[in-house]
Amino acid sequence: MSKPNSKIQIFEWGWLTVNQVYDGIIFKQHHLDALAKYEQLSGTEFFRCQYSKLRFNQYVGVIKVGDLTIEVLPKTDKHQLDKGQWQKVLLEMLLISLQVEAKTTTNAAINIRQHSVLDTYMQLFLNETEKLIHQGLIKKYRTNISNQTTLKGKLLVHQQITKNAVHAERFYVAHTVYVHDHVHNFILRAGLECIAKTGSNPLKRNAEALLLFFPECNKYLVNDKLFKTLSFDRKSEDYKKGVELARIILLNYHPDIKGGSNDILAIMFDMNYLWESFVYWSLKKATLHLPELQVFGQKTKVFWKKEAGWSMRLKPDLVIESTTSNVVIDTKWKYQSSVTPDDLRQIYAYLDYFESDKGYLLYPEQLGDYQVSKKEGHYQLPDGSSNDNKSCGLMFADLIINNKLNKVIGEAILESLQFIKAKSI
């Protein structure tokens, strides 16, 4: 049996083999069996199970299977950091990408040097939920159908006749109540209940304490449809962050249906999207006081439409717009020594639809001194001459400086594109 609260750290695209020792912990057959069942039932892309082996993909984060926690860390080919340093880089990228950094840096409840990835994510949710409790949990109107001793609301005649034929003193009515029992509070409560079952002891105690402030709620089927159809109004707007944090916990929690100890909670992020999101928010921060520059993430335009039917859209990762020019950027986490024709064709289409003459494929690199390097490339015309109006270059930006995450990467990119003047960072 594994040690209590045992943890294995492994890099993306890494392997775990049954009965092998990792970080002093043995990866057991029952761990692989539980993960194989999870893969089969959920269709997850986080990893692939093989005979006696497990291979991770491009997803990073944490998987908790029973008493074992597996942290999957990012890694570039250029940066030679140890697992502890990569864990800190991952946590900082998550905080920025989830847009909670400003809240957590002033709150001593989160110390990323002492927390695991799972503990940090759960603590973010607990902090957000506690904030909502202090603000006051919202109430909503709901129609309540029940037997009452007084007539209030609408009398349901058919039910009154069938249920109260011998109870003339009762009224079967539908009436409106103003209560805490609604889907937004249910989601937060469900997230707390999950942490109370799967979290470390301090987090369990915190979750159990916060549950005391939540009323019992009607149960909803927790699936992707529940969150896609969820709407927010002026009163529930403050719930968005907490609900989003809860969504990732609840949709990836799979209790052991046999009542055993192999519950699985997987909080994983595609490293390609995490890199994209980190760059986007870094650029947004760099342009905060520059009204002449605008940064758009996943901006879309229709480029093909079926007659009286559906359409297809172009959606570059990033578009930087200024009063004089626009630049399109597609972020790529791994550089495989060359670019694919599909990437180049995609950028070519983006340039037309987003009124730009320059596009770049952006990769993380180890350059030093907060640098960004570029390798320019031009599209060719049918006659073999260079198309001076359309170019697609490769851009390499420092992700890590002095073993720490480069949080001013946005400024360095803008300087390289000559949107802002270079300065000493």
Side-chain angles (χ1 to χ4, degrees), residues 56 85-86 119 220 263 282 312 319 367 385 421 423:
F56 293 95
Q85 292 169 321
W86 273 115
D119 284 353
Y220 295 82
D263 294 356
S282 298
M312 298 185 71
V319 179
L367 301 168
S385 62
K421 293 181 178 180
K423 63 180 181 180

Side-chain angles (χ1 to χ4, degrees), residues 38 42 46 118 121-122 125 129 183-198 211 219-224 226-227 230 242-255 264-268:
Y38 170 74
S42 68
F46 299 158
L118 181 61
Y121 191 89
M122 287 183 171
F125 172 71
T129 304
V183 64
H184 296 85
N185 282 338
F186 163 76
I187 290 172
L188 296 183
R189 182 182 177 89
L192 291 173
E193 289 172 342
C194 180
I195 293 176
K197 186 174 181 181
T198 63
L211 278 169
K219 302 293 184 182
Y220 295 82
L221 178 62
V222 177
N223 55 24
D224 198 42
L226 173 67
F227 291 94
L230 193 65
V243 167
E244 174 59 20
L245 293 169
R247 180 187 70 83
I248 296 175
I249 293 174
L250 295 175
L251 291 184
N252 293 289
Y253 173 56
H254 293 259
I264 291 181
L265 175 62
I267 299 177
M268 302 285 279

Side-chain angles (χ1 to χ4, degrees), residues 324-328 347 350-352 354-360 376-379 387-393:
T324 57
S325 64
N326 301 333
V327 173
V328 173
I347 292 290
Y350 292 159
L351 297 180
D352 266 345
F354 293 90
E355 301 175 1
S356 173
D357 58 2
K358 281 191 176 183
Y360 289 95
E376 302 291 352
H378 288 274
Y379 292 100
N387 185 345
D388 295 331
N389 296 321
K390 282 186 172 64
S391 69
C392 177

